[in-house]
Structure formats: C-alpha cells, structure tokens
Amino acid sequence: MHLTDLPRTLLRRLAGERQYQLARIPVVRPIYNALRRWQHYYRYGVQSTFMFHNVELEVNSMCNRTCRHCPNSSAKRPLGYMRESLFKKIIDELAEMDFDGTVSYHFYGEPLLDRRLPDFVEYTSRTVPHSKPGIYSNGDFLTLEIFRQYLRRGLAWFCVTQHDNLMPPNLAQIMEEATQEERQHIHIRFVNSFTLCNRSGLIDILGVPTQPLEVPCDWPLGTVVVTMEGNVVPCCNDYFESEVVGNLKTQSLRAIWCGERFQRFHRALSRGDRTVSNLCAKCDSTPDGNALHRIVPL
C-alpha cells in the first residue's frame, strides 16, 4: 500500500453512516478532521480539511431564457465570455492535482450558446482524464446529433432542467432514439420535482428568512465557482459577485481555496453559522438529511 492511499483506506474502514457518527464525538472529531486534511494534501496537494469535488466555470454569461426561478428574470449579468487562456489555466491546474471530480461550464448562462464548448469539453477530458466533465443546460438547443458529439468529445453527463415542466419535442426525440448506453449520460429533470432555492434572497417569490438559518450547508464546502473574469465566489448564489475571495488570473486555485478567507468561511458554515456571509444570511437552502448528516464541523 502506498503512503498516500493510507488516509483513504482508513476512512473506508469507517464506511457508511457510522463514520460520521463517530466523527462527531468531541474526542474523535479533531483526529477525523486532521486525517481528512492529510488525505487532501497527499492526494491533491491541497492543505484544507474540506476539498472541492465540483468546479463550475462560467464560460459565457448569456442565456436565451428568463425563467422566474432564476435571477436572470429580474437582473442581468454583464455579457461576455471567459477567455480561452484563462479556461486552459484553470484546467491545467486541475490536471496538476489529478482532479477526479466534476467540471461543468455554467453559472447563470446557457453553456450551449458558446460555440467553443465542444473544444472546452474535449480539452477537459483529455487534460484531466480522471475528471467528469458535465453540462447543465435548459436543453433548448440540444439535438441527438449534438448530444452524441459531446459524448465523443469526452462528456460524462448532461443535466437538462425544464423550468416549464414540459418535455419538448427535441428532448423527447433524444430519449426515444438514443441507445440505452447513451441515455445513461443524460438526465432530464423538471422544476416541480425538486426544492428550489431563493438564490440568497434574489428570487422574491420564495421569500427571505427573517433570521439567518442555523443550519450547515454542504455545497460551498465542496464546490469552486469561477466567473468569466476569473473571480472565485464562495457560492453559486453570488449572482452579483459581491463576495469575491480571489481571482484566478493572478492566483492559483490551491492558494484561493486554502486561503484564510475561504477557510474562515468553511469553518463557520460547517458549524451552521450563516452570519459569516450576507449571501448565507439571506439563503433558504438546506441540505437534505443525508447530506446534512455528513457535514462534520471544524
């Protein structure tokens, strides 16, 4: 057994829910968190107890829709594209750490509007071979031919969200004519099938908590969100980039994630302290029971 495999092996021996029950015991928690930090350092070169497993890149900011459950219905982000050189810098950094999580190409825009996207997917799959490139889309421009093109380029998954809760003809055709193996790479979901988030208070119809929720949140503890200008924001709900924690034009991904500002944010959020951020204070998002159970505070 290689030394770097030891932390992961030990964690697997505590498999299942029992692992998290033990980790919450006051005497065990510091040891568990130190073990996670050790694992992340030797596996990815990241000196942090929490490690990101999702990377979201705003390759373009345009969208053809103004869905009422999206801030685009009442506000507009600056129009533009992420520079290809910046995109490749980020992907190259992920390659250096042998990243094995998901990489997606969105923030609040529709990624299929970017003609560079097939090349971006191919560059990701070729440069970071253990990653899982994926696309979140409204599906309006998706055809079976385009879907197959992305699969050939190395796309691992395609998630289509239908805000009008209808199955349009183009998606119906894909699901009817795609092979069984191809259908395993696409998921079509409807807004009425999952709980919506108020996007840190930007979606008026969902309201804003009168007081910050005293509940941890798992998504920012494992996700890096990068806007088209290279700004790293603490959460995908930071529509206006109001709480930028770093910029990847001049900083490395490791340095930003392990920086004191992000670490302070992670510590507080893992304990359920949402006053650490104006975004979190207005947010109504809560993890489901299983995800909540797996958050071990610092």
Side-chain angles (χ1 to χ4, degrees):
M1 180 186 299
H2 194 278
L3 178 62
T4 58
D5 295 328
L6 183 59
R8 181 172 295 184
T9 302
L10 292 176
L11 290 177
R12 284 175 177 170
R13 289 178 180 175
L14 296 173
E17 298 304 313
R18 182 65 174 167
Q19 167 183 310
Y20 303 102
Q21 294 173 3
L22 290 172
R24 283 184 171 76
I25 299 174
V27 176
V28 176
R29 192 170 70 188
I31 301 173
Y32 177 85
N33 285 331
L35 188 60
R36 286 197 296 174
R37 189 180 184 91
W38 185 35
Q39 176 190 354
H40 296 157
Y41 177 71
Y42 280 103
R43 173 63 182 82
Y44 305 103
V46 172
Q47 294 185 340
S48 172
T49 303
F50 293 102
M51 173 60 193
F52 54 90
H53 302 290
N54 309 289
V55 177
E56 299 181 352
L57 306 176
E58 185 186 30
V59 296
N60 72 286
S61 62
M62 289 74 75
C63 188
N64 61 303
R65 288 197 176 201
T66 53
C67 304
R68 66 174 186 158
H69 298 300
C70 175
N72 284 334
S73 61
S74 58
K76 291 295 179 185
R77 286 186 49 70
L79 300 181
Y81 296 87
M82 177 180 286
R83 289 184 180 273
E84 184 175 349
S85 58
L86 175 59
F87 173 83
K88 288 186 174 181
K89 174 184 181 293
I90 297 168
I91 298 301
D92 291 347
E93 287 191 25
L94 294 176
E96 289 176 3
M97 62 180 71
D98 191 21
F99 182 67
D100 54 359
T102 66
V103 179
S104 53
Y105 312 90
H106 72 291
F107 188 38
Y108 286 92
E110 168 51 50
L112 292 188
L113 290 173
D114 193 333
R115 294 181 179 180
R116 307 170 301 169
L117 189 59
D119 291 336
F120 282 178
V121 169
E122 184 174 8
Y123 188 81
T124 304
S125 63
R126 184 178 68 248
T127 308
V128 196
H130 294 131
S131 69
K132 305 169 189 65
I135 294 175
Y136 287 98
S137 170
N138 58 38
D140 289 351
F141 304 104
L142 188 62
T143 65
L144 182 58
E145 180 182 354
I146 292 174
F147 175 55
R148 285 174 171 167
Q149 176 191 13
Y150 278 109
L151 293 183
R152 290 193 297 268
R153 295 291 190 110
L155 192 75
W157 52 271
F158 210 118
C159 181
V160 179
T161 303
Q162 283 294 297
H163 284 261
D164 48 14
N165 295 309
L166 298 173
M167 177 70 83
N170 65 314
L171 298 183
Q173 182 183 16
I174 292 173
M175 300 307 293
E176 180 180 349
E177 298 181 8
T179 66
Q180 182 177 355
E181 196 281 331
E182 288 171 337
R183 287 196 293 270
Q184 294 177 3
H185 296 275
I186 186 170
H187 172 60
I188 301 175
R189 62 181 185 174
F190 303 93
V191 167
N192 60 6
S193 67
F194 57 91
T195 303
L196 294 167
C197 167
N198 71 357
R199 298 295 182 185
S200 296
L202 293 180
I203 309 302
D204 294 336
I205 59 175
L206 297 179
V208 179
T210 55
Q211 296 291 331
L213 302 180
E214 296 181 0
V215 181
C217 187
D218 61 328
W219 191 248
L221 302 179
T223 303
V224 168
V225 180
V226 187
T227 69
M228 61 183 176
E229 293 298 332
N231 288 329
V232 177
V233 292
C235 176
C236 61
N237 291 324
D238 194 357
Y239 183 85
F240 293 110
E241 302 176 71
S242 60
E243 298 189 15
V244 175
V245 294
N247 187 282
L248 287 174
K249 290 180 180 178
T250 58
Q251 298 171 273
S252 71
L253 190 53
R254 282 192 181 103
I256 293 174
W257 183 262
C258 300
E260 176 55 31
R261 185 172 181 184
F262 232 155
Q263 293 297 297
R264 184 169 62 251
F265 174 73
H266 289 157
R267 283 195 299 270
L269 199 55
S270 71
R271 298 169 180 169
D273 179 9
R274 298 201 178 192
T275 63
V276 70
S277 163
N278 290 330
L279 298 169
C280 299
K282 300 175 183 177
C283 186
D284 67 351
S285 178
T286 58
D288 62 33
N290 289 332
L292 187 62
H293 185 66
R294 290 181 172 88
I295 300 175
V296 177
L298 291 178

